[in-house]
Amino acid sequence: KRIQEAILHHQKLLYLRFAESFILYKPRDIVSGDFYWFAEKNQKFIVAACDCTGHGVPGAFMSLIGYSLLNEVIIERSIEEPAKILDSVKHGIIKSLGQTGQAGEQKDGMDMSLVSLGFDFDISEGKAKSSINLQYAGANNPLYVIRNGEFIEIVADRMPIGIYLGQDKPFSTKEILLESGDVFYMFTDGFTDQFGGDKGKKFTKKRFKELLMSMHHEPMNRQKEILDKTFASWSGDQQQVDDVLMIGIRV
C-alpha cells in the first residue's frame, strides 16, 4: 500500500494545472488494480484512468506494470498521440506477460481512458483567447463531457490493452475542442458495477449519467463529496465489489 501510494502521489500536478478538479479513489482492498497517471510533456497535459485485470494484490502488480509502461512510452519515448500510446502500452503488456493468445492462457491486461490536453492561443481584438484541444483514446472505457447541460459521450474502442482474441486493430484517437466551463469525466467501472439499493442491483451506467447531469454545475470538490456519499448510500451493507476510480476536470 505504501509503495502504491508513493507512486500515485502525482495528483498534486493535476490540481496545479486544473484547480477545479477531483480524484475519487476507493480501492476495494488494501491495494488497488485501478490507478491514475498524469504528466506534462511538450506543452501537453496527459491524464489516464486505468483499470487492471483483478483487484487486490494481483491487480496491484498489474498496475505497477501499467504505470511503468506509461512512463516509458510517454516520458522516455515521447509518444504523445493517445491512440499510439495505448497501442504501445498494449504491446508492452503482451511482451511483459509473454502472451501468445493460446487457449487457456491468462488474459491479463487493462482498460483505460487517456486524454491529451493541448492549449491553443488565439490573439484577436486585442485579447488573448485560449482553447483546449482534447485528444482521447479509450480501451473499453468511454469519456463523458458535459457542456451547457448537454451530455456528450465519446465512445471507446471495444477491446482491452493486452492480448485480444477478437479483431486485432490499432486504437483510434478522437478529438474535441473544449470550451470554457466544460467538464469531463474519466472513470473505471467500479462505481457503475456496485451492487446495492433496495433490490441489491448494480448502480448501472444510466443512473451514473443521471447523477453526473444532476451535479455537474456544482464545484468539483462538492461533486466528489456527492459521488462519495452516493456510493456509500447505494452500497449500504453490500461489500464493495471492485476498485473505484473517477477523475473530474472543469476547464
Side-chain angles (χ1 to χ4, degrees):
K1 180 181 180 181
R2 288 194 298 269
I3 292 171
Q4 193 169 53
E5 288 177 345
I7 289 175
L8 296 180
H9 79 282
H10 295 112
Q11 58 183 278
K12 294 179 182 177
L13 183 62
L14 174 68
Y15 300 140
L16 286 172
R17 174 59 79 177
F18 297 98
E20 273 288 277
S21 61
F22 71 79
I23 303 171
L24 180 66
Y25 182 60
K26 299 174 72 67
R28 198 202 81 158
D29 303 306
I30 295 173
V31 287
S32 175
D34 286 5
F35 71 96
Y36 48 85
W37 191 95
F38 310 109
E40 284 187 292
K41 184 76 173 179
N42 297 333
Q43 296 184 324
K44 292 183 178 179
F45 192 82
I46 300 172
V47 186
C50 312
D51 182 359
C52 298
T53 304
H55 40 73
V57 174
F61 271 115
M62 281 298 302
S63 76
L64 296 179
I65 295 173
Y67 196 93
S68 297
L69 285 170
L70 284 170
N71 281 335
E72 176 189 331
V73 169
I74 299 171
I75 304 300
E76 298 175 18
R77 295 167 53 192
S78 297
I79 297 175
E80 298 174 8
E81 183 187 331
K84 291 182 179 179
I85 292 171
L86 266 58
D87 287 333
S88 297
V89 173
K90 175 183 176 178
H91 294 149
I93 290 286
I94 292 171
K95 182 179 179 181
S96 296
L97 300 181
Q99 295 176 332
T100 63
Q102 295 180 355
E105 183 181 73
Q106 286 294 106
K107 304 298 188 297
D108 293 315
M110 67 184 72
D111 296 335
M112 183 187 302
S113 56
L114 183 143
V115 302
S116 173
L117 303 165
F119 296 82
D120 299 319
F121 295 91
D122 174 36
I123 299 178
S124 60
E125 301 178 357
K127 296 181 180 180
K129 301 177 181 179
S130 64
S131 58
I132 298 179
N133 182 49
L134 182 151
Q135 292 185 318
Y136 155 83
N140 288 323
N141 291 347
L143 178 73
Y144 293 165
V145 180
I146 301 180
R147 171 181 296 165
N148 296 323
E150 177 189 2
F151 191 96
I152 303 168
E153 179 175 355
I154 305 178
V155 298
D157 292 311
R158 300 303 299 169
M159 56 184 179
I161 296 176
I163 200 70
Y164 179 55
L165 301 183
Q167 183 181 2
D168 190 14
K169 57 183 180 179
F171 286 96
S172 59
T173 294
K174 298 164 185 178
E175 296 189 33
I176 182 172
L177 192 63
L178 296 179
E179 302 174 0
S180 178
D182 286 355
V183 57
F184 67 89
Y185 303 96
M186 307 167 68
F187 46 88
T188 60
D189 59 5
F191 201 113
T192 57
D193 285 352
Q194 178 60 37
F195 290 100
D198 295 336
K199 299 181 180 180
K201 294 186 176 182
K202 288 186 178 182
F203 192 79
T204 72
K205 291 180 180 179
K206 181 176 182 292
R207 285 192 185 91
F208 188 56
K209 292 177 180 179
E210 291 172 350
L211 176 60
L212 296 182
M213 282 295 291
S214 71
M215 69 172 199
H216 76 274
H217 58 281
E218 298 280 356
M220 300 306 279
N221 58 352
R222 173 61 181 153
Q223 291 191 36
K224 180 179 179 180
E225 292 177 4
I226 293 171
L227 286 163
D228 206 9
K229 290 179 180 178
T230 301
F231 186 82
S233 175
W234 179 262
S235 301
D237 296 331
Q238 296 273 3
Q239 180 182 2
Q240 184 174 334
V241 298
D242 199 1
D243 303 313
V244 173
L245 170 62
M246 184 169 181
I247 300 169
I249 299 176
R250 190 190 305 280
V251 300

